[in-house]
Amino acid sequence: DAGVIQSPRHEVTEMGQEVTLRCKPISGHDYLFWYRQTMMRGLELLIYFNNNVPIDDSGMPEDRFSAKMPNASFSTLKIQPSEPRDSAVYFCASSPLEPGREKLFFGSGTQLSVL
Amino acid sequence: AQTVTQSQPEMSVQEAETVTLSCTYDTSENNYYLFWYKQPPSRQMILVIRQEAYKQQNATENRFSVNFQKAAKSFSLKISDSQLGDTAMYFCAFMKSFGSNYKLTFGKGTLLTVNP
């Protein structure tokens, strides 16, 4: 299996622009997570899905952030409009249903820089 | 809410030696999982080892082992025969075993450097 695939690997954009991050989870996994990593706050869960349904989005910072999972093999995290404080590494992760749901497999992340 | 504390921001070790990374956590839960993740310069988060709280036996994975002290809420990682490829950030993490709050809570990380 290719693992969790994220694109792009790097994204540089200007303040106010829309940014879309993409994720393809491991085939057969039922859970998908979006995490954000910054120096100040470390790794934080933004949102997670179970069978394509958002379960907990309490970590989404504000209405500028939205996430979708239209099917089992694809998810997006959108920021509109982007701000410099959104600069971070965004990770997507997936995990299977029991047993082993606690074993998250992470993608390589998207490094987002908002100028 | 759960918290995870890694008190060593940076550590270094000589190749082939043994090093121990510390982690403490705070929770009122009785059943949970603890993890160590490795983040090398490539940025990918890699699961190193996992411990289930109800198991008294410490988990081991090749050169990696943990010392899990449930009463003390301590979960340290021991790396034996350190290799240059072990150079990375190491994150301790916590997850509840049950319920709908299905999230990993991470510590701030320890940067480990293995010197030749």
Side-chain angles (χ1 to χ4, degrees):
Chain A
D1 198 321
V4 176
I5 299 172
Q6 292 187 245
S7 63
R9 183 160 173 80
H10 302 278
E11 176 80 36
V12 180
T13 191
E14 293 188 348
M15 183 174 63
Q17 296 298 306
E18 178 179 295
V19 176
T20 300
L21 311 182
R22 296 173 175 79
C23 175
K24 177 179 169 56
I26 293 173
S27 177
H29 280 191
D30 295 279
Y31 292 92
L32 184 138
F33 305 82
W34 283 99
Y35 279 83
R36 179 172 69 175
Q37 184 179 31
T38 62
M39 288 296 293
M40 290 297 294
R41 300 174 66 90
L43 280 148
E44 305 173 284
L45 176 66
L46 299 178
I47 186 171
Y48 80 89
F49 296 81
N50 179 16
N51 288 329
N52 313 338
V53 177
I55 302 301
D56 183 354
D57 65 354
S58 60
M60 295 286 264
E62 48 198 274
D63 292 345
R64 297 185 298 106
F65 286 69
S66 62
K68 294 182 180 179
M69 192 165 186
N71 57 61
S73 59
F74 184 65
S75 176
T76 59
L77 178 68
K78 185 178 293 187
I79 308 173
Q80 166 63 20
S82 58
E83 297 182 3
R85 61 193 167 115
D86 302 331
S87 297
V89 179
Y90 291 81
F91 287 101
C92 177
S94 69
S95 70
L97 200 55
E98 305 282 0
R101 70 172 180 90
E102 75 283 357
K103 293 183 183 178
L104 271 65
F105 294 82
F106 283 80
S108 298
T110 294
Q111 173 80 58
L112 174 64
S113 298
V114 184
L115 307 177
Chain B
Q2 285 67 232
T3 60
V4 178
T5 303
Q6 294 178 248
S7 59
Q8 306 150 314
E10 293 187 36
M11 293 190 72
S12 63
V13 64
Q14 291 299 121
E15 195 175 7
E17 293 187 347
T18 295
V19 64
T20 299
L21 309 184
S22 301
C23 173
T24 58
Y25 58 95
D26 188 24
T27 184
S28 58
E29 301 290 326
N30 191 45
N31 295 313
Y32 48 87
Y33 297 99
L34 294 164
F35 308 84
W36 280 97
Y37 277 87
K38 169 184 177 181
Q39 187 177 38
S42 67
R43 202 168 67 201
Q44 178 130 27
M45 295 287 289
I46 302 165
L47 178 62
V48 175
I49 199 164
R50 154 186 161 271
Q51 175 81 39
E52 297 172 75
Y54 70 86
K55 290 186 177 179
Q56 291 187 329
Q57 186 173 7
N58 289 323
T60 62
E61 289 286 344
N62 301 313
R63 298 182 296 106
F64 299 88
S65 62
V66 298
N67 183 4
F68 173 49
Q69 301 290 327
K70 190 173 184 180
K73 297 181 181 175
S74 170
F75 184 62
S76 61
L77 174 70
K78 185 172 81 171
I79 306 174
S80 304
D81 186 25
S82 297
Q83 300 176 359
L84 297 179
D86 296 333
T87 293
M89 282 289 288
Y90 287 82
F91 294 94
C92 180
F94 171 101
M95 179 191 287
K96 289 183 183 179
S97 294
F98 304 104
S100 61
N101 188 0
Y102 181 17
K103 88 176 188 182
L104 277 168
T105 300
F106 287 90
K108 294 295 188 186
T110 297
L111 177 60
L112 175 67
T113 302
V114 180
N115 298 309

